[in-house]
């Protein structure tokens, strides 16, 4: 329901988004005589980027990395792209058109929606993606270990991955060993060994409250909070980006010592983080206006101190 999947069994629990990516890579085969051609943006999260580079170094795939703005006419077997960039919060503009062009070029589509699901409305069926990866660690308030892989209806039945285990069997608790193996229906065929059940249980409450409040309402409130935070920072001479519709749920302040600033803010009671030279500040529905003002005041003071 959260991402617009047509069937519940299109969602496969994974411990991380990276685990979902590996399962996809280990299911796809290139034409005989060549490697799988993968094109990804150069703005993907470090885990996704690293996995792709390792597969390239192992000789498993041919990999091209490029800015997402240049991906309109790619030729690939698999396109890997985030809908919201983790470092800057920028939303990929004209995403449906970009995906349609990639599919017209013969690519299957894998969308990383970690910074999208729960923060922005999402409909993977309308986008017609083959796969999506995400998790409950960010805007779904579910904690780590509750990632997931979305499979477009049909793929769950026709594709098989090397990332498997006894929970993928047709009747796992019968302990039978048919040869060739028999797999469970739908996405169950993509399960692995005993799953981290407690992580899924822990994530349930966050998913329920997100669905109850509604992503549209959460997004509208997030835009109000971001606009206020950007204005409060501007009053203290701090330029922030990401306050409008073209970005996800957080705003960024560009600074060469963003990591140091994040640590200094934490010492002053303000929780933020840094990715490279981007200091990320993400208002939550539980944050009060006074807390946003405190964040702006403390950051302004730190920058004045040098």
């Amino acid at each position: 329901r959260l991402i617009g999947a047509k069937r519940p069994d299109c969602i496969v629990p994974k411990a991380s988004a990276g685990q979902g990516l590996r399962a996809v890579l280990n299911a796809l085969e290139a034409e005989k005589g060549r490697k799988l051609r993968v094109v990804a943006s150069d703005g993907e999260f470090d885990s996704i980027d690293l996995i792709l580079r390792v597969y390239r170094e192992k000789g498993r795939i041919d990999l091209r990395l490029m800015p997402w703005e240049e991906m309109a006419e790619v030729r690939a077997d698999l396109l890997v792209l985030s809908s919201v960039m983790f470092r800057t919060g920028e939303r990929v503009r004209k995403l449906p058109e970009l995906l349609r062009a990639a599919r017209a070029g013969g690519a299957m589509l894998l969308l990383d929606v970690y910074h999208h699901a729960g923060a922005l409305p999402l409909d993977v069926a309308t986008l017609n993606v083959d796969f999506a990866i995400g998790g409950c660690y960010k805007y779904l308030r579910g904690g780590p270990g509750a990632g997931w892989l979305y499979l477009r209806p049909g793929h769950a039945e026709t594709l098989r991955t090397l990332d498997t285990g006894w929970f993928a069997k047709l009747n796992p608790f019968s302990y039978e060993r048919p040869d060739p193996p028999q797999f469970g229906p739908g996405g169950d065929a993509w399960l692995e060994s005993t799953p981290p059940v407690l992580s899924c249980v822990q994530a349930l409450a966050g998913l329920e409250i997100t669905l109850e409040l509604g992503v549209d309402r959460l997004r509208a409130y997030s835009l109000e909070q971001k606009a206020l935070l950007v204005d409060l920072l501007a009053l203290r001479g701090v330029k922030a980006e990401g306050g409008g519709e073209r970005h996800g749920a957080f705003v960024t302040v560009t600074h060469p010592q963003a990591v140091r600033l994040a640590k200094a803010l934490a010492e002053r009671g303000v929780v933020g983080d840094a990715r490279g030279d981007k200091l990320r500040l993400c208002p939550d529905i539980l944050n009060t206006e006074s807390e946003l003002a405190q964040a702006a005041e403390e950051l302004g003071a730190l920058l004045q101190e040098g």
Side-chain angles (χ1 to χ4, degrees):
R1 289 169 57 195
L2 180 71
I3 68 170
K6 294 297 185 182
R7 300 182 344 218
D9 68 351
C10 291
I11 303 295
V12 184
K14 295 291 180 183
S16 66
Q19 189 181 30
L21 170 63
R22 288 196 300 272
V24 171
L25 291 173
N26 290 341
L28 301 182
E29 296 181 0
E31 295 177 0
K32 190 173 182 180
R34 66 172 178 82
K35 301 174 186 175
L36 191 74
R37 299 171 302 175
V38 179
V39 173
S41 88
D42 58 7
E44 298 307 304
F45 181 65
D46 285 41
S47 184
I48 304 306
D49 181 86
L50 179 61
I51 290 169
L52 292 173
R53 291 174 190 265
V54 169
Y55 270 69
R56 179 194 63 192
E57 294 305 306
K58 287 288 187 179
R60 298 285 300 275
I61 63 173
D62 280 328
L63 176 64
R64 286 182 62 198
L65 299 171
M66 63 178 66
W68 65 261
E69 295 91 341
E70 300 176 10
M71 300 177 77
E73 298 182 0
V74 299
R75 293 292 183 270
D77 299 309
L78 178 67
L79 177 79
V80 178
L81 177 65
S82 291
S83 54
V84 177
M85 293 295 152
F86 85 98
R87 192 185 303 273
T88 64
E90 187 176 14
R91 297 174 66 182
V92 172
R93 295 186 295 278
K94 298 183 178 180
L95 179 64
E97 292 85 347
L98 188 156
L99 295 177
R100 281 197 295 269
R103 184 173 295 285
M108 300 184 81
L109 310 173
L110 186 150
L111 203 61
D112 186 335
V113 297
Y114 223 118
H115 280 276
H116 191 144
L120 294 159
L122 177 61
D123 190 329
V124 292
T126 299
L127 289 172
N128 196 29
V129 297
D130 298 282
F131 314 100
I133 51 177
C136 298
Y137 180 58
K138 296 290 182 183
Y139 311 103
L140 299 173
R141 301 168 177 81
W148 43 267
L149 165 67
Y150 161 79
L151 302 169
R152 195 175 74 181
H155 289 338
E157 292 81 9
T158 59
L159 292 176
R160 290 290 176 259
T161 178
L162 296 175
D163 292 15
T164 190
W166 74 297
F167 265 67
K169 296 172 65 174
L170 179 60
N171 297 301
F173 293 99
S174 71
Y175 301 101
E176 298 174 349
R177 300 183 180 182
D179 197 8
Q182 296 178 359
F183 292 92
D188 284 0
W190 284 58
L191 293 173
E192 301 185 29
S193 299
T194 306
V197 179
L198 291 181
S199 297
C200 298
V201 174
Q202 174 180 280
L204 182 59
L207 289 164
E208 289 176 336
I209 193 172
T210 301
L211 288 169
E212 181 69 22
L213 292 172
V215 176
D216 288 330
R217 292 176 63 199
L218 289 168
R219 175 59 173 172
Y221 189 55
S222 171
L223 288 171
E224 293 178 10
Q225 287 184 304
K226 289 198 304 171
L228 175 60
L229 180 57
V230 169
D231 288 344
L232 289 168
L233 288 166
L235 290 174
R236 289 156 179 82
V238 181
K239 180 181 178 182
E241 298 177 326
E245 281 279 9
R246 290 177 58 179
H247 290 75
F250 61 87
V251 303
T252 59
V253 175
T254 302
H255 194 279
Q257 298 186 47
V259 174
R260 177 185 66 81
L261 288 174
K263 292 180 179 178
L265 283 173
E267 294 172 355
R268 300 185 180 204
V270 178
V271 178
D273 63 14
R275 298 291 184 265
D277 64 350
K278 304 293 184 184
L279 174 68
R280 306 191 309 181
L281 299 171
C282 184
D284 182 74
I285 55 174
L286 299 179
N287 287 130
T288 62
E289 291 187 9
S290 63
E291 288 174 328
L292 300 185
Q294 178 191 357
E297 182 177 349
E298 297 292 358
L299 181 55
L302 282 170
L303 292 173
Q304 284 186 353
E305 293 171 7

